[in-house]
Amino acid sequence: DELSRELDERMQRAAGDFEYELAAMYRDQLRAVESVREKQRVVSVRRIDQDVVASYREGQRVELVLLMVRQGHVTDSRSFSLESELPDEEIVAGFLNQYYGRLADVNGQSGPSDVLPDEIVLPVRPDAISGLGDWLSERRGRKMTVVVPKHGPRRRLLELALDNAAHAFREKQRASVLNVGDPRTSS
């Protein structure tokens, strides 16, 4: 609610200042927040901890999104930008190894099971998916599954993450275009 109010205020202020491109960006962000809020009600069915990884790509530019679902509710979303010619399966596998490896190492004092979810939902099947599940389960100290859903509630969660990845990609593109002409960003 607070984020929605803030985005609405920024949109109104930008429109009042005749900064229509900026106002449109805030409008799109507000729509995305509202969309996530609506879809969050749908994901509340399962009461397990899940991380949902999705990617959006245009050429070599890739946007990865990690949706964190805790006890059936989306609690956080993080996006990561990179450039790569690698296939999506390799990008996702590399991300998982790096992100969860570092997460488990950093959290070693209190135990990785406090941070690693019960399940990771992926858009593509990395070559070493079974080894990945075993490695993560070992780091976590109890079973952790890695799935690539074709349909059902997990697929709907994945589609939400895919929408977020595409939106994050477009917003970063738009922000970079807006910053090119902004004298405050020049050195």
Side-chain angles (χ1 to χ4, degrees):
D1 291 337
E2 184 179 331
L3 178 59
S4 293
R5 279 192 297 276
E6 176 70 25
L7 288 171
D8 187 57
E9 289 172 12
R10 287 180 182 184
M11 179 182 67
Q12 298 299 332
R13 194 169 35 249
D17 293 341
F18 304 105
E19 295 181 23
Y20 297 116
E21 286 184 26
L22 188 59
M25 182 181 75
Y26 290 133
R27 179 202 63 216
D28 293 346
Q29 288 176 344
L30 183 58
R31 286 180 181 164
V33 167
E34 294 302 323
S35 174
V36 167
R37 289 176 67 192
E38 282 301 310
K39 290 178 181 177
Q40 183 173 350
R41 293 185 184 105
V42 174
V43 305
S44 315
V45 178
R46 300 190 74 207
R47 297 285 180 206
I48 64 170
D49 292 346
Q50 298 168 294
D51 282 356
V52 184
V53 178
S55 64
Y56 178 82
R57 159 180 280 202
E58 284 187 15
Q60 293 182 5
R61 299 187 72 178
V62 180
E63 191 71 25
L64 287 168
V65 164
L66 173 69
L67 278 186
M68 292 173 217
V69 180
R70 298 299 180 258
Q71 296 301 305
H73 298 280
V74 176
T75 59
D76 198 5
S77 176
R78 297 179 185 167
S79 68
F80 307 87
S81 302
L82 59 123
E83 291 198 23
S84 178
E85 294 180 6
L86 293 173
D88 291 347
E89 294 83 359
E90 290 182 38
I91 290 173
V92 168
F95 170 77
L96 294 172
N97 284 320
Q98 188 174 18
Y99 181 82
Y100 291 105
R102 183 176 25 214
L103 191 63
D105 289 341
V106 167
N107 198 46
Q109 318 81 305
S110 61
S113 62
D114 297 341
V115 202
L116 297 175
D118 300 310
E119 178 177 89
I120 298 177
V121 180
L122 302 177
V124 292
R125 181 173 298 282
D127 288 337
I129 195 166
S130 62
L132 180 64
D134 294 342
W135 175 71
L136 290 168
S137 294
E138 183 181 312
R139 297 204 79 131
R140 184 173 187 243
R142 64 180 194 261
K143 183 73 175 154
M144 185 172 171
T145 57
V146 180
V147 297
V148 181
K150 299 291 183 216
H151 49 77
R154 289 179 181 132
R155 183 66 199 180
R156 286 192 295 277
L157 260 178
L158 182 58
E159 288 169 2
L160 174 62
L162 290 167
D163 288 347
N164 284 354
H167 180 75
F169 182 92
R170 286 190 301 271
E171 288 303 312
K172 288 179 182 178
Q173 290 287 95
R174 189 181 320 203
S176 70
V177 168
L178 289 175
N179 286 336
V180 167
D182 188 346
R184 293 173 291 181
T185 60
S186 302
S187 52

